[in-house]
Amino acid sequence: MGPLHVAIIMDGNGRWARSRGHARFFGHVRGVRRVQEVVQEAGNLGLSALTLYAFSTENWKRPEAEREVLWRLLRRFLKVETPALLRSNVQFRVIGDRSRLSPAVLSAIRETECALEKCTGLQLTIAVSYGARDEIIRAARAFARECFEGSMKPEQMTEDLFSQFLDTAPLGSLADVDLVLRTSGEQRLSNFLLWQAAYAELTFVNKPWPEFTAGDLRRAVQQFSSRKRRFGGVEGARPSETPQESRT
Ligand code: IPE
Ligand code: IPE
Ligand code: MG
């Protein structure tokens, strides 16, 4: 079976541009162009959810000029692509710490959320000012607040309940990631979906994001289908083969 939820760390824009003698921002400009094709292909492949890492909590450390380019590109992407996303019936969400976003970025996000409100197709999530540790801390605080106010008790906490406090809660059972894909050759998660990717398969593509194509996504999804996921169990084991029951 193919993955239902694919999450992509779109990495390598800066190095792609520098290796061609351009400024880093040019890589971001080219990188945005790949997003539309990948979203389209995710729909063609029948994925249920696609999450794209666009800006991490750690990316706030970058020079202001680069951050400004990224915000401008995000706003332009939302403005230009919303009609196409609407035609493709794409559901849209943003995860991350919104409190750090500027009013202009926030209003662009709200406009797209509003325009796509009634869509029922692919669940597209963009991670902006997102860090998994920050998300988990915000969830823990929200739960602690409920306990303090008396509407919940610490003993009630379960994995399912905790998931409901995370930014990905609206995705319900789709929040768990099946496949994490990272471009640029780096092999790390960089604080992306640490809770949701607990049992995700990982794929590292040796190409910078501006060169990533629909075909690359298709190949990654096909390779995923041949992987054996055991989730800690035993592949193909019949109940009679489990230790307790095979004892004679
Ligand atoms: C990914 O490309 C885009 C963002 C993190 C916003 P980078 O900007 O990280 O490019 P490299 O990894 O430095 O080449
Ligand atoms: C991860 O890439 C964040 C995004 C792709 C948005 P980075 O380039 O920021 O990650 P590191 O610094 O290489 O770990
Ligand atoms: Mg990078």
Side-chain angles (χ1 to χ4, degrees), residues 181 212 224:
L181 188 154
F212 189 80
F224 171 91

Short mmCIF file of all heavy atoms in Angstrom, two decimals, residues 181 212 224:
data_model
loop_
_atom_site.label_atom_id
_atom_site.label_comp_id
_atom_site.label_asym_id
_atom_site.label_seq_id
_atom_site.Cartn_x
_atom_site.Cartn_y
_atom_site.Cartn_z
N LEU A 181 10.39 12.67 3.61
CA LEU A 181 11.35 12.77 2.51
C LEU A 181 12.15 14.06 2.69
O LEU A 181 11.58 15.11 2.96
CB LEU A 181 10.56 12.78 1.21
CG LEU A 181 11.31 12.69 -0.12
CD1 LEU A 181 10.37 12.10 -1.16
CD2 LEU A 181 11.79 14.04 -0.58
N PHE A 212 14.05 19.08 -7.49
CA PHE A 212 13.15 17.97 -7.17
C PHE A 212 11.93 18.02 -8.10
O PHE A 212 11.34 19.08 -8.31
CB PHE A 212 12.70 18.09 -5.72
CG PHE A 212 11.94 16.91 -5.20
CD1 PHE A 212 12.61 15.76 -4.80
CD2 PHE A 212 10.56 16.94 -5.11
CE1 PHE A 212 11.92 14.66 -4.31
CE2 PHE A 212 9.85 15.84 -4.63
CZ PHE A 212 10.53 14.70 -4.23
N PHE A 224 8.38 3.32 -1.29
CA PHE A 224 7.73 3.16 0.01
C PHE A 224 6.87 1.90 0.01
O PHE A 224 6.84 1.14 0.98
CB PHE A 224 6.86 4.39 0.31
CG PHE A 224 5.98 4.23 1.52
CD1 PHE A 224 6.43 4.63 2.77
CD2 PHE A 224 4.72 3.67 1.41
CE1 PHE A 224 5.62 4.47 3.89
CE2 PHE A 224 3.90 3.50 2.52
CZ PHE A 224 4.37 3.91 3.77
#
